[in-house]
Amino acid sequence: MIPLLVASPLLFAFIISLLPALGKQKLSKYLFLIGAFSPWLFISSIIQKLPLGEVVGGWERISGIEVIIDSYNLPFLAAELLLFTFVAFYVYGDYYPKKSENKVYVVLLLLHAGLLGAFISRDLFNYYIYMEIASVSSFALVAISKEKGAKKAAFKYALFSLLASYIFILAIGIIYLKTGYLNLFLIKENLVFSKEINVALVLAFSSLILKIGVFPLHFWLPDAHSKADAPISALLSGLVVKAPTYGMILLILTFPISTLMQSILITTAFLSMFFGIAMALIQKNSERLLAYHTVSQMGYVLLGIGLLNPLAAAYYAMAHSLFKGGLFLSVGTIAEHYGTRDLEKLSYRHSKFLMVAIVLLSLAIGGISPFVGAFGKFMLVKEINGLLKYVFYAGGIGTLTSFIKLNYYLLKRGERVPFTFKKEMVSLSVGLLTLITGIYFYPHLQLVRDLSFIFIGFGLFYVLKKLGLFEFQLSPLFPDTVSELGREINVYMLFLGAFLLFILFNSIY
């Protein structure tokens, strides 16, 4: 039953790819919608038997492909199914031109299948294969955007993602060489820890850190996420960066993690939180503001990994999928209808649905109760003590300040433009879902704390505005031209090499 979650969207992707040759392209959008929703038919019966696992084809665990649904991957699967359903509704119909919609639907279903396959895998090689299916689909979806610079962003994204994949497959090779297994249960049962295994873990974590785009290996993410179309950005930020996160959870469930590696992960997590917030505060492009918040928010997810609390990481990843996917859909809808991503030219005053959606989603990402973000942050903060707890809270206030800025700009009067009712309803539904899931998981109000954080956030916003921070424009490190792309990539490659050598050297000696 579990493999059918992946097989059904794959089957519909194959069928849709045949339609142009059969002269039946008009059926594409209907089959796409069926393919997108098909996993729901199986998850409803699976969820009653959890935890549930099987080896595909009835083979022995040593030679077969094991798939499992349990408490560690259920939040990822829930987020994937929910957000992909909303995005499918969003793009269904006339979002893409007739001449390209068939290809886009095929790639979207491949992405759907790749993510589901990665989230149910319990052996390293099949996890890697499905993660690559999702990654390659993502490059293609970024490249089809009409936004200026989208193809350059897609190329940079592809290059660094593939480099991360090479490093990860090298790590898998070392693990297989030393243990003789790829199945994670068999690896754990037969593991004899050694220096080579330690090197493999360092390589694997480094490659996955690059793939999730946290600071300081974030250099591909802001361009890729901000240049894509709104629904694609929602999938990239909400789901695609979660596949490597799940890989990290598989690693910490299987291998003993050294104190040094934990320290590196926790330090990287906090640096990413504050770097993302600082960069988001000075952005005037609505999509880049949200993209830098992905850098920041993935720091929270990485913190759960560093604390060796996989459930906290999984549930915060689920929360982030919902509120960030919703933000990209709702803010992206406004930007697409105004024909610009310049914050100063956007307004939500002519759509009460989008206004409510963005306010709800801003409260969710700020961790205000009873939204789902509060539940995710509660799962993380209960593992933190001392000064780090206050640093953690400071990150939440910084996030609120940044979204007060976003709402401040969107609240201004702007030219009246007609919004599509379907897009408004999709955005509002995701916003309401962050509230409903928050009440379901964490039905607690923390009025004093939340009001204090909001008050401090408004105060900080006012001070930064008076200081002229929002008028500050940071010059790009590299010009936005293809001719300079080689030099840009070389610099980032050197930086990545230095980061990798630093971790390797400190982990071995």
Side-chain angles (χ1 to χ4, degrees), residues 337-489:
H337 281 68
Y338 274 92
T340 177
R341 297 182 177 188
D342 185 346
L343 258 181
E344 294 185 339
K345 297 177 182 174
L346 303 180
S347 172
Y348 58 29
R349 292 187 65 153
H350 304 298
S351 170
K352 297 294 182 287
F353 296 126
L354 287 173
M355 181 189 290
V356 172
I358 293 172
V359 171
L360 292 177
L361 293 162
S362 299
L363 293 171
I365 197 171
I368 300 301
S369 62
F371 291 87
V372 71
F375 169 64
K377 283 187 167 66
F378 165 75
M379 292 279 288
L380 288 168
V381 79
K382 67 182 183 181
E383 300 288 331
I384 306 172
N385 296 308
L387 181 62
L388 280 184
K389 183 171 282 192
Y390 296 99
V391 177
F392 182 88
Y393 289 142
I397 293 170
T399 303
L400 279 171
T401 305
S402 178
F403 280 90
I404 289 169
K405 173 197 166 184
L406 175 71
N407 283 275
Y408 169 80
Y409 279 104
L410 294 178
L411 198 54
K412 289 182 176 177
R413 289 191 181 279
E415 181 187 350
R416 179 179 288 276
V417 295
F419 293 102
T420 309
F421 182 69
K422 181 183 73 172
K423 294 178 180 177
E424 290 178 314
M425 285 298 101
V426 169
S427 302
L428 181 60
S429 300
V430 184
L432 292 172
L433 187 63
T434 62
L435 178 60
I436 295 166
T437 49
I439 293 171
Y440 176 78
F441 284 113
Y442 189 62
H444 302 287
L445 279 175
Q446 295 179 307
L447 280 177
V448 175
R449 193 209 66 172
D450 291 343
L451 289 175
S452 302
F453 284 5
I454 292 172
F455 179 77
I456 297 170
F458 270 106
L460 190 56
F461 167 77
Y462 180 77
V463 170
L464 294 176
K465 187 171 180 297
K466 281 292 179 187
L467 291 173
L469 181 77
F470 303 139
E471 304 303 321
F472 177 74
Q473 287 194 343
L474 187 66
S475 300
L477 288 176
F478 300 98
D480 192 18
T481 59
V482 176
S483 60
E484 290 292 319
L485 183 58
R487 190 165 68 89
E488 181 180 349
I489 287 173

Side-chain angles (χ1 to χ4, degrees), residues 29-242:
K29 61 182 180 182
Y30 306 114
L31 292 176
F32 164 69
L33 213 53
I34 297 170
F37 296 160
S38 57
W40 285 104
L41 297 175
F42 309 108
I43 198 73
S44 56
S45 57
I46 291 172
I47 209 164
Q48 299 171 4
K49 306 170 186 172
L50 295 181
L52 183 66
E54 64 181 277
V55 180
V56 181
W59 293 79
E60 293 294 324
R61 180 176 269 174
I62 192 170
S63 52
I65 298 171
E66 185 162 20
V67 290
I68 286 179
I69 299 180
D70 59 13
S71 56
Y72 296 113
N73 59 4
L74 187 60
F76 289 97
L77 287 169
E80 206 282 341
L81 292 171
L82 287 168
L83 185 57
F84 198 89
T85 298
F86 284 116
V87 170
F89 269 125
Y90 193 95
V91 302
Y92 171 75
D94 56 356
Y95 187 83
Y96 286 105
K98 293 292 179 190
K99 64 179 182 181
S100 62
E101 69 173 359
N102 181 275
K103 295 173 186 172
V104 175
Y105 290 153
V106 171
V107 179
L108 278 171
L109 288 178
L110 286 175
L111 175 65
H112 195 24
L115 289 169
L116 289 170
F119 291 145
I120 62 173
S121 294
R122 282 302 163 94
D123 79 85
L124 287 172
F125 188 71
N126 284 285
Y127 162 74
Y128 164 77
I129 293 296
Y130 282 117
M131 184 171 64
E132 288 311 294
I133 291 173
S135 295
V136 174
S137 304
S138 303
F139 314 150
L141 290 168
V142 174
I144 63 170
S145 169
K146 291 180 181 175
E147 187 73 12
K148 184 184 175 185
K151 289 182 174 52
K152 179 188 169 191
F155 178 75
K156 198 162 63 172
Y157 176 22
L159 192 70
F160 285 106
S161 183
L162 290 174
L163 178 62
S165 300
Y166 298 149
I167 297 171
F168 189 71
I169 198 72
L170 174 61
I172 293 176
I174 295 171
I175 292 169
Y176 182 65
L177 195 66
K178 296 303 294 181
T179 64
Y181 301 106
L182 291 169
N183 181 289
L184 289 161
F185 287 103
L186 294 175
I187 291 174
K188 190 171 184 177
E189 282 178 3
N190 298 281
L191 182 66
V192 178
F193 201 74
S194 64
K195 187 177 284 188
E196 290 82 0
I197 292 290
N198 194 34
V199 168
L201 286 177
V202 171
L203 291 172
F205 274 110
S206 300
S207 66
L208 295 174
I209 285 174
L210 177 57
K211 273 186 174 287
I212 65 173
V214 296
F215 178 83
L217 304 183
H218 65 284
F219 27 76
W220 60 270
L221 188 147
D223 283 347
H225 287 205
S226 65
K227 299 291 184 185
D229 297 322
I232 305 307
S233 296
L235 291 176
L236 294 177
S237 181
L239 299 177
V240 175
V241 293
K242 303 303 184 306

